[in-house]
Amino acid sequence: MPHDGHHHHDDDHGGSGLSPIALRVKALESLLVEKGYVDPKALDVLIETYETKIGPRNGARVVARAWVDDGFADWLKRDATAAIASMGYQGRQGEHMVALFNTPGIHNMVVCTLCSCYPWPVLGLPPVWYKSMPYRSRAVIEPREVLKDFGLDMPGDREVRVWDSTAEIRYLVIPERPAGTEGLTEEQLAQLVTRDSMIGTGLAKPHP
């Protein structure tokens, strides 16, 4: 069921040569550690899992297909489990899928308040912060503040809907397609889809 809800810390190592994007990632890492979402000891494993992108690439291809194929998008809305399985992504933790489409007026965000139910076939292993008590407890109570912790400041007129995953139902957020991507191929579009955008704690990357 949906629940309705209504930082940047700079890392400076004296000319370490990090790009603005890398600095932003480091800043968000520091903030997530500080807020208790991520165990610092687990961060290296988290980064490694994220950078290899093994699991999330499956979900990214599902999103890209939905962006370019209205028929597939409609199928996702009607029966996400079957639509996703048609692309070869199925199995444990993905038996009952629901696709949540973000719109200019609605932003969807997924949490599992009881444990860490997560759609493995399309997103791989859940990130450490998804399983953390601060995320699981605060996402429902103050979703806008949690999104700010992830660097996402939602406009006041955009409704934030929080969906609680269960053993029976798992959710995949379909982020909004970035502007100016009309000429991109499906595979190029998939490169813009991040794992966090499919959980709802991030957006798809803008077209370079």
Side-chain angles (χ1 to χ4, degrees), residues 84-165:
I84 291 168
S86 76
M87 295 184 67
Y89 311 135
Q90 58 187 317
R92 185 171 176 265
Q93 308 292 332
E95 297 91 343
H96 303 287
M97 295 290 304
V98 172
L100 307 169
F101 284 72
N102 283 352
T103 69
I106 297 173
H107 180 86
N108 295 288
M109 175 182 174
V110 180
V111 66
C112 180
T113 55
L114 291 179
C115 48
S116 58
C117 294
Y118 191 77
W120 291 21
V122 284
L123 292 186
L125 296 174
V128 174
W129 55 259
Y130 184 84
K131 298 182 283 185
S132 73
M133 184 55 71
Y135 180 78
R136 285 161 45 198
S137 59
R138 289 185 60 222
V140 171
I141 299 169
E142 46 182 8
R144 290 180 183 274
E145 292 305 310
V146 170
L147 289 176
K148 284 180 184 177
D149 290 347
F150 281 83
L152 203 55
D153 198 354
M154 280 290 117
D157 60 352
R158 183 170 298 186
E159 180 186 351
V160 176
R161 293 182 180 174
V162 182
W163 300 80
D164 195 352
S165 284

Side-chain angles (χ1 to χ4, degrees), residues 32-125:
L32 294 176
V33 168
E34 182 184 320
K35 294 279 186 178
Y37 291 123
V38 178
D39 176 356
K41 295 173 186 173
L43 216 74
D44 288 342
V45 177
L46 169 65
I47 299 303
E48 173 65 23
T49 303
Y50 179 67
E51 285 181 345
T52 55
K53 299 186 173 88
I54 302 288
R57 297 329 305 156
N58 295 348
R61 292 186 185 99
V62 172
V63 172
R65 178 73 53 85
W67 284 347
V68 301
D69 185 337
D70 289 342
F72 183 76
D74 288 341
W75 191 8
L76 266 180
K77 291 173 184 176
R78 293 194 318 270
D79 188 347
T81 307
I84 291 168
S86 76
M87 295 184 67
Y89 311 135
Q90 58 187 317
R92 185 171 176 265
Q93 308 292 332
E95 297 91 343
H96 303 287
M97 295 290 304
V98 172
L100 307 169
F101 284 72
N102 283 352
T103 69
I106 297 173
H107 180 86
N108 295 288
M109 175 182 174
V110 180
V111 66
C112 180
T113 55
L114 291 179
C115 48
S116 58
C117 294
Y118 191 77
W120 291 21
V122 284
L123 292 186
L125 296 174

